[in-house]
Amino acid sequence: MARLGMVFDLKACIGCNACVVACKQENSLPDGVFFTRTLSHEYGEYPNVKRVYIPTMCNQCEDAPCEKVCPSGATYTREDGIVMVDGEKCIGCSSCAVACPYDMRTMLDEAMFTDGLFGTGEITPFEEQGYDRWIAGTAAKCDFCSQRVDQDLDPACVYTCPTNARIFGDLDDANSAPSVMIRDRGGRQPLVEKKTKPKVYYVD
């Protein structure tokens, strides 16, 4: 069984946010909910100023604190390493959101499903159809587009990235694209001091 992970190439990311839009559409996320974001950081002094874009998402931790604290068993890890949330089991206690050191959990409140886009109170047919996947009062997060992975497809953010800044694959395969990039370019995990063993890496 594969152990799926992702590498973010900071040199390739141009901050276009195509990944954010693709994620929103693929997962029919309510207004205000994002499973991936692209942060920006400027450094240097004028006139030598540079900007780097930093993609973020659930890190699918090997030793996931969100799973450890979940009292209902709603958070669990699949055999391929993807950390999932079973909305039917989630009791909305927010323990997972508090435990996540990366702030990558979202609690879905009722207003997200009733206010509509920009608070108009009108839900579009697209939203109405997609929202069936989500349950108000529960936790939600990125799951590497597990519905796509199960069809041997890349996550929507990876498929959409115009510069191939997101590299997805089996971390246990030494010859996979992410494994090669981690090895050749010194891939680093975020907040290693938290000892969560993220399956997401950064290279620059």
Side-chain angles (χ1 to χ4, degrees):
M1 175 62 70
R3 186 170 63 93
L4 299 174
M6 192 177 295
V7 177
F8 292 134
D9 185 346
L10 300 183
K11 285 186 177 178
C13 181
I14 58 175
C16 67
N17 282 305
C19 52
V20 177
V21 175
C23 175
K24 288 282 284 186
Q25 182 165 340
E26 174 67 30
N27 294 291
S28 300
L29 298 181
D31 192 30
V33 177
F34 297 90
F35 285 170
T36 184
R37 295 177 184 269
T38 304
L39 310 178
S40 63
H41 174 67
E42 291 186 358
Y43 59 97
E45 295 184 7
Y46 177 83
N48 300 310
V49 178
K50 294 183 178 181
R51 175 179 290 174
V52 62
Y53 296 102
I54 308 167
T56 64
M57 68 191 311
C58 170
N59 291 284
Q60 313 295 339
C61 301
E62 201 87 47
D63 193 7
C66 57
E67 184 174 1
K68 288 181 176 179
V69 301
C70 180
S72 66
T75 297
Y76 65 98
T77 302
R78 300 194 335 174
E79 288 186 8
D80 58 10
I82 299 178
V83 180
M84 304 287 292
V85 179
D86 184 341
E88 298 291 341
K89 292 182 178 180
C90 180
I91 60 174
C93 68
S94 301
S95 293
C96 57
V98 174
C100 176
Y102 306 99
D103 194 23
M104 286 294 138
R105 288 272 177 149
T106 298
M107 300 307 298
L108 303 174
D109 79 51
E110 188 67 41
M112 294 174 176
F113 300 87
T114 56
D115 285 357
L117 190 61
F118 305 121
T120 61
E122 298 180 8
I123 303 296
T124 66
F126 172 77
E127 291 170 321
E128 203 167 81
Q129 179 183 6
Y131 287 179
D132 287 345
R133 177 181 175 189
W134 308 109
I135 302 172
T138 64
K141 59 177 282 297
C142 162
D143 61 8
F144 278 162
C145 288
S146 59
Q147 70 279 9
R148 290 177 59 88
V149 170
D150 290 343
Q151 299 177 64
D152 293 323
L153 299 172
D154 282 336
C157 62
V158 175
Y159 181 78
T160 307
C161 182
T163 60
N164 297 318
R166 293 174 174 237
I167 300 90
F168 179 73
D170 182 5
L171 298 179
D172 281 344
D173 178 357
N175 297 314
S176 71
S179 292
V180 170
M181 183 164 281
I182 291 167
R183 184 171 62 248
D184 291 353
R185 293 179 55 185
R188 302 185 311 277
Q189 298 162 302
L191 299 181
V192 289
E193 66 274 15
K194 299 297 183 179
K195 300 180 180 179
T196 63
K197 302 178 183 176
K199 291 192 283 290
V200 169
Y201 290 75
Y202 291 83
V203 298
D204 52 22

